Amino acid sequence: MADATTARSDSASRDEELRQSDIAALCELIGSADRYCIAAEREQSRGFTGFRSVYQKSYAALCEGHLELLRAVPSGTDRDIVILAGHAALMADQIQGMVVDNNTYAARLLEGIHAALISISGSIGNRFPQEVDEVAAVWPELGQSIRNDISVARQMIAETEGR
């Protein structure tokens, strides 16, 4: 009887480990949506209006997914924290090139926020490399972005320590 209880307990532990958090599941869906949106964008060049319609709808859904992930609250898992930090840095990178309406302060503020998020993402990713690998498996672009953040954060640390 003790063996059956232990087996059920071990099975429950494995099931809990395999269960994804909402943030990890959303990350995986956004990665899939990103790939789908890129494929739809490529097909637009064929001129069939259906492709344009699919691209526009998939792009709108992708944007909404990004906004929801930015508002997400981590459940405390290391993977959630890696995802949220990396995603925020990735989004800051994407808005970096947007027009700030000739407002020098806003441009510098955005640049500073971007640098801070890269530092945070890189530092967290450096602490949890296994989680970065798991994120990269479901959303390669985010995984690569976090790896780039890790490199930049290491360089920033080396420059700071070199002073």
Side-chain angles (χ1 to χ4, degrees):
M1 188 70 145
D3 291 336
T5 303
T6 302
R8 263 182 276 149
S9 175
D10 290 346
S11 177
S13 294
R14 277 193 301 279
D15 289 345
E16 185 63 28
E17 286 174 16
L18 295 175
R19 191 177 71 83
Q20 286 189 334
S21 69
D22 292 342
I23 289 172
L26 182 56
C27 173
E28 187 171 350
L29 287 172
I30 291 173
S32 296
D34 188 47
R35 289 185 294 278
Y36 183 82
C37 191
I38 289 169
E41 184 178 31
R42 276 191 222 121
E43 293 300 325
Q44 281 189 107
S45 65
R46 295 173 62 174
F48 181 61
T49 58
F51 294 129
R52 185 177 68 244
S53 179
V54 168
Y55 169 73
Q56 290 170 341
K57 297 293 182 185
S58 64
Y59 182 75
L62 178 63
C63 290
E64 287 302 312
H66 281 301
L67 292 171
E68 289 302 320
L69 191 54
L70 286 170
R71 289 191 278 270
V73 177
S75 63
T77 67
D78 297 339
R79 185 183 316 154
D80 283 358
I81 293 168
V82 167
I83 289 168
L84 293 177
H87 182 254
L90 178 65
M91 293 296 95
D93 185 50
Q94 290 187 5
I95 64 171
Q96 188 71 12
M98 292 182 180
V99 177
V100 191
D101 294 334
N102 297 324
N103 186 331
T104 305
Y105 175 71
R108 290 179 60 213
L109 183 61
L110 181 57
E111 185 180 315
I113 292 169
H114 182 231
L117 288 170
I118 287 173
S119 175
I120 292 166
S121 172
S123 296
I124 291 171
N126 196 42
R127 286 187 58 203
F128 305 108
Q130 181 179 347
E131 282 74 8
V132 174
D133 292 341
E134 291 172 6
V135 169
V138 297
W139 188 0
E141 181 187 16
L142 181 58
Q144 185 58 51
S145 179
I146 295 169
R147 287 184 180 118
N148 292 343
D149 295 345
I150 291 168
S151 295
V152 171
R154 285 179 181 163
Q155 182 179 1
M156 293 167 78
I157 290 168
E159 288 174 4
T160 303
E161 291 173 351
R163 287 185 194 171

